[in-house]
Amino acid sequence: MSCLIVVAHPDDEVLGAGGTIYTMTKNREIVDVCILSGRAEARTNRPSDNELVEDTDKCLALLGVHKKYLGNFPNIKLNTVPHLELVQFIERTIIDSGADIVFTHHPADLNNDHLQVSLACQAAVRLFQRRSDIQPLKELLYMEVPSATEWGLNSSINGFRPNTFFEIGREGIEKKIEALSFYRSVMHEYPHPRSRETLLGLAAYRGSQAGSNYAEGFELAIRRI
C-alpha cells in the first residue's frame, strides 16, 4: 500500500496524520508527503529558510516518510493561485508517488489554505477519468488539524465527522509529538490545541471512539471496492 499526504503547510502533515504515518512506515508501508506552501512565509515566528527545511526534514525522517514534494505556492494566499495550478501540481505528485490512498485537509477547515488544498485534491483524485493509464484511488480521507478543523464554524458546510480510525498506540502518539516538536514555534503550552496534553487527549479520545489504544480519526470521502 502506498499513501500520499497532501497538505498546505509544513507541520499539517504531522498534526493531521503523524501517528498514522509513523505506524504505516513502521509496518513497511510507503508514505510520501506533499506540502504545497513549503516555505510558509507568513508564519508567525517563522525560522529562516534553511531552518524550516531542516525542521521539515528532521520531522519527516523521524516518521519514516519515503519522499517529500514541496510546492512554492504563497502561504495564506492559495486562494489567489489559479485552481488548475494547484490541481495539476497534486496530480503530478499522485502520478510520481504511485499512491493508491490520499489523505488531505477537511473542506470545512477555518484555514483558507486548507480549504483550497482540499478542493484541489478532490479534483486531482479524479485524474483517472481523464487518463486511461491512471488507476483510480482506493481511498480519499480527510484529516483533522488541531487549531484549524475544530474552528470550522460555517454551519452551511458539514463539519469534520470521523468515521475511520487508525490505531497508533502510545508509541505512535509519542512519535507524533516528538516529530511536531522539530518545527520551531509550533508547539504551545496547554490548553492550546497544539500542546502535548491536548494531542495526547485527542488521540486517547479517538481511540476510545474506535475501541482502540490511541488513534487518529479521519473522514472517509471515497472508497473504491
Side-chain angles (χ1 to χ4, degrees):
M1 181 169 61
S2 177
C3 297
L4 177 66
I5 316 296
V6 181
V7 296
H9 316 109
D11 76 18
D12 289 337
E13 77 286 356
V14 193
L15 286 162
T20 299
I21 295 171
Y22 175 78
T23 303
M24 285 182 167
T25 60
K26 186 180 178 183
N27 292 330
R28 301 185 181 280
E29 295 171 7
I30 297 173
V31 180
D32 295 324
V33 169
C34 171
I35 304 172
L36 273 77
S37 185
R39 295 180 61 194
E41 305 99 322
R43 175 167 293 172
T44 303
N45 300 320
R46 179 188 181 277
S48 69
D49 289 348
N50 290 339
E51 288 174 333
L52 182 57
V53 170
E54 180 184 350
D55 294 351
T56 304
D57 288 345
K58 282 183 178 180
C59 169
L60 300 186
L62 178 67
L63 296 179
V65 170
H66 171 253
K67 186 174 182 179
K68 71 171 180 179
Y69 300 87
L70 286 183
N72 196 31
F73 297 103
N75 186 208
I76 315 300
K77 294 182 180 180
L78 292 186
N79 61 309
T80 68
V81 177
H83 179 68
L84 182 60
E85 291 185 19
L86 299 177
V87 173
Q88 290 178 335
F89 185 86
I90 297 171
E91 286 178 342
R92 290 192 295 270
T93 304
I94 291 173
I95 292 170
D96 188 74
S97 67
D100 46 26
I101 296 178
V102 170
F103 295 78
T104 194
H105 294 287
H106 192 276
D109 272 21
L110 174 66
N111 188 297
N112 190 259
D113 278 359
H114 294 186
L115 167 62
Q116 301 305 322
V117 171
S118 182
L119 294 175
C121 202
Q122 291 171 49
V125 300
R126 295 174 55 242
L127 181 60
F128 72 94
Q129 293 184 327
R130 303 186 292 279
R131 292 268 303 268
S132 61
D133 59 322
I134 302 297
Q135 291 296 313
L137 288 177
K138 292 181 180 177
E139 292 180 351
L140 171 66
L141 299 110
Y142 298 137
M143 311 180 302
E144 60 178 331
V145 176
S147 78
T149 309
E150 75 271 23
W151 280 98
L153 304 179
N154 185 348
S155 60
S156 66
I157 302 175
N158 288 330
F160 178 73
R161 298 176 181 174
N163 55 19
T164 303
F165 301 86
F166 285 75
E167 183 171 11
I168 61 175
R170 182 71 184 213
E171 182 181 13
I173 184 58
E174 292 290 354
K175 288 295 182 182
K176 172 175 181 166
I177 294 170
E178 182 181 354
L180 190 61
S181 70
F182 285 132
Y183 284 116
R184 297 165 226 217
S185 303
V186 169
M187 291 289 284
H188 294 270
E189 295 296 321
Y190 181 78
H192 194 278
R194 296 182 180 184
S195 64
R196 172 181 173 82
E197 293 86 349
T198 302
L199 294 173
L200 275 169
L202 179 60
Y205 175 60
R206 294 302 184 208
S208 70
Q209 287 182 294
S212 61
N213 181 19
Y214 295 99
E216 288 177 325
F218 303 91
E219 185 172 332
L220 181 65
I222 295 174
R223 169 169 286 166
R224 178 172 175 262
I225 306 300

